[in-house]
Amino acid sequence: MLARRIPRNPGPDAVSKKAFVKSYGCQMNAYDAARMADVLAEQGFSATDHVEEADVVVLNTCHIREKAAEKVYSELGRLRVLKDARQLEGRDTRIVVAGCVAQAEGAEILHRAPVVDVVVGPQSYHRLPDLLARSHAKRVVDTEFPVEDKFDHLPARRTAGVSAFLTVQEGCDKFCAFCVVPYTRGAEVSRSIAAVVAEAERLAAGGVREIGLVGQNVNAYHGLASDGGTATLSDLIRAVARVPGIARIRYTTSHPNDMGDDLIAAHAEIPALMPYLHLPVQSGSDRILAAMNRKHTGDAYRRIIDRVRKVRPDIALSSDFIVGFPGETDAEFADTMRLVSDVGFESAYSFKYSPRPGTPAAERADAVPEDVMTARLHALQALLDAQRHAFQRAAVGQVVEVLVEKVGRRPGQVAGKTPHLLAVQFDAPTSCIGRIVPVRVVEAGTNSLFGEAIEAAAAA
Ligand code: 5AD
Ligand code: SF4
């Protein structure tokens, strides 16, 4: 995809510098990518979706599974061709590898991929202008966890559309046996309520209506409150809900053991907090959960869901699952299928276990054979797909409040999301982008619902 047409003549665009930023993986990476674009914009780089015209290319990488990490190297292979072609035309291209692969592999990336000029970790990307400047003399690596807080050094956020992510917490202290995050992102750190609210106010001023509060373990949030005490995630949600213009709040991603009573109550009490909860369980087997160092059982998870549903019966649930964790038996996988049937998920992400260097599970000798993992993943995904489709079909005939985010797939259509995070397409003028429009759902497609605005005035 990167080896696209390379323009022969630099053309009029050659005078303005351009940056292409591509992000892989989680929402926190999406947030970091947007902030790197802000840093580059301040240096005079305008954003482009066309890699071949970019003077700076940033790959914001993901290290969570082997496949994600390896993707970087195939992209870098394509970028080498592009960089060489641009060089023949006398144009320089700086290649930056950022994100969690940068953090985990550091200088190793420079050895494996001579095309790379800068390797920068998730805590140092505010230094990008300096690193780019230095890279002309010598290729540079910056994967420090610097003493200064990157958030204090980032420029103001530029307009981010209707729905935006906002990182409020980084790092993780949980050390699940399969996971690289505690190593690549470090210990849990929370931003203060004041810092988050200030950023939310900026976003709202730029037209943002929905904020996704993002953290590797967001419900463990413990930021500085305005009275000098420690605030929880529910305190933070209340503070963000008071920001004028912010109509919807979501948060991701959470750990079951941090689902406090106050956060559960918030789902009943704060109208802007959407009825949607992404709460990864990973497995339904107690033995596997213990081996994963999750520190909760399948039943403990079911009880949390019961408590959430008691205060918010319409809540849509989402989870992450890993199949084929070392030693997982057929019976233990069947426990996962049973948990999925018991709980009922609106959406989910499911993965085959991937051993990650440096994690305790990677040391284990009882790997599940690849074909067994594949069969389990298919079975699990078939069940999860059936649940998702049932959830979508149940919406047909209902009136849903759609926050309109962008133009739709077909001419005359716009696209947005319901409170349950279902995508909806319907006919309306683009002037309703950024507004919440009541829509009657008439049809459920594979990935989207189709509807009709019920108030002509609302869509006018
Ligand atoms: N193998 C497979 N999936 C993993 N995840 C995290 N680490 C691994 C791994 N080593 C999944 C978990 C997590 C999600 C972000 O990625 O399900 O919740
Ligand atoms: Fe990884 Fe577990 Fe932390 Fe989630 S809670 S980031 S899976 S260690």
Side-chain angles (χ1 to χ4, degrees):
M1 168 221 144
L2 291 178
R4 258 190 248 150
R5 173 187 56 86
I6 297 154
R8 292 244 149 245
N9 298 311
D13 280 346
V15 285
S16 72
K17 298 184 291 178
K18 297 212 160 122
F20 174 91
V21 183
K22 180 166 180 183
S23 197
Y24 302 81
C26 68
Q27 285 94 341
M28 188 172 295
N29 259 18
Y31 173 88
D32 289 339
R35 300 313 308 271
M36 281 189 263
D38 291 341
V39 170
L40 292 169
E42 209 188 35
Q43 300 293 311
F45 289 91
S46 56
T48 177
D49 292 332
H50 302 283
V51 68
E52 65 276 358
E53 64 181 25
D55 303 285
V56 171
V57 176
V58 180
L59 301 181
N60 195 30
T61 61
C62 172
H63 199 240
I64 199 98
R65 285 168 294 276
E66 192 182 355
K67 248 192 204 155
E70 282 303 313
K71 235 184 241 170
V72 183
Y73 290 100
S74 44
E75 288 279 6
L76 288 172
R78 286 187 281 266
L79 285 174
R80 189 169 51 81
V81 178
L82 182 64
K83 185 171 177 164
D84 288 349
R86 280 175 53 98
Q87 200 160 24
L88 285 178
E89 297 169 349
R91 295 197 288 170
D92 178 56
T93 316
R94 298 282 98 187
I95 308 287
V96 179
V97 174
C100 292
V101 177
Q103 189 63 43
E105 297 186 7
E108 175 66 25
I109 297 173
L110 297 185
H111 294 134
R112 259 185 88 175
V115 71
V116 175
D117 301 292
V118 175
V119 174
V120 61
Q123 300 310 331
S124 349
Y125 62 75
H126 55 292
R127 298 173 174 171
L128 208 43
D130 174 49
L131 298 173
L132 283 169
R134 278 165 45 203
S135 75
H136 288 279
K138 189 169 184 281
R139 302 158 80 205
V140 278
V141 177
D142 185 349
T143 52
E144 273 175 46
F145 283 74
V147 279
E148 81 265 15
D149 182 348
K150 70 171 177 246
F151 293 109
D152 294 338
H153 295 266
L154 289 170
R157 279 189 80 164
R158 309 209 161 214
T159 311
V162 172
S163 177
F165 294 125
L166 200 174
T167 291
V168 304
Q169 178 276 335
E170 289 189 79
C172 181
D173 297 342
K174 293 280 190 288
F175 290 92
C176 297
F178 50 80
C179 186
V180 284
V181 167
Y183 311 98
T184 51
R185 291 281 184 157
E188 274 176 28
V189 180
S190 297
R191 298 175 70 191
S192 69
I193 292 248
V196 174
V197 167
E199 194 170 328
E201 284 170 348
R202 271 193 185 283
L203 288 170
V208 167
R209 306 292 320 276
E210 174 178 273
I211 289 187
L213 302 172
V214 175
Q216 257 105 26
N217 204 350
V218 75
N219 59 343
Y221 174 87
H222 53 276
L224 181 67
S226 42
D227 63 2
T230 303
T232 64
L233 181 62
S234 71
D235 300 326
L236 180 69
I237 294 169
R238 272 174 223 281
V240 174
R242 283 194 288 271
V243 173
I246 298 303
R248 291 183 170 187
I249 300 170
R250 304 177 187 276
Y251 62 93
T252 196
T253 179
S254 299
H255 192 285
N257 291 355
D258 292 311
M259 251 357 257
D261 288 340
D262 61 322
L263 183 56
I264 292 178
H267 277 280
E269 292 164 4
I270 307 174
L273 181 57
M274 291 294 99
Y276 183 93
L277 174 61
H278 180 69
L279 192 64
V281 64
Q282 313 295 355
S283 167
S285 152
D286 289 349
R287 196 189 70 88
I288 293 296
L289 286 167
M292 287 176 164
N293 194 32
R294 291 287 294 179
K295 300 200 173 86
H296 63 79
T297 61
D299 277 350
Y301 184 86
R302 287 178 176 84
R303 282 196 296 276
I304 294 165
I305 298 303
D306 288 346
R307 279 161 56 215
V308 177
R309 280 192 166 137
K310 204 161 163 202
V311 303
R312 194 70 217 223
D314 68 330
I315 196 138
L317 297 169
S318 164
S319 178
D320 295 342
F321 296 92
I322 295 177
V323 301
F325 186 80
E328 185 189 66
T329 64
D330 284 342
E332 286 162 347
F333 172 65
D335 287 341
T336 299
M337 295 290 277
R338 197 162 48 80
L339 182 136
V340 172
S341 300
D342 291 350
V343 173
F345 292 95
E346 186 248 57
S347 73
Y349 301 90
S350 43
F351 312 100
K352 288 183 202 174
Y353 168 72
S354 165
R356 306 306 292 128
T359 59
E363 307 293 312
R364 294 182 52 148
D366 49 352
V368 172
E370 184 67 28
D371 58 332
V372 175
M373 280 206 266
T374 304
R376 287 180 190 167
L377 189 67
H378 286 162
L380 176 61
Q381 290 185 338
L383 178 57
L384 290 165
D385 280 351
Q387 291 188 342
R388 184 166 59 87
H389 291 144
F391 199 92
Q392 284 183 311
R393 278 196 308 274
V396 175
Q398 314 242 326
V399 174
V400 289
E401 301 274 303
V402 178
L403 173 59
V404 183
E405 291 178 9
K406 55 187 182 188
V407 295
R409 281 187 223 143
R410 296 201 208 111
Q413 274 188 337
V414 291
K417 301 266 169 54
T418 70
H420 290 138
L421 209 55
L422 296 174
V424 185
Q425 312 261 336
F426 64 103
D427 286 335
T430 53
S431 56
C432 68
I433 290 174
R435 293 171 61 182
I436 294 174
V437 177
V439 173
R440 187 178 305 284
V441 179
V442 293
E443 193 192 329
T446 331
N447 295 313
S448 267
L449 301 174
F450 299 94
E452 292 164 353
I454 59 167
E455 281 175 31

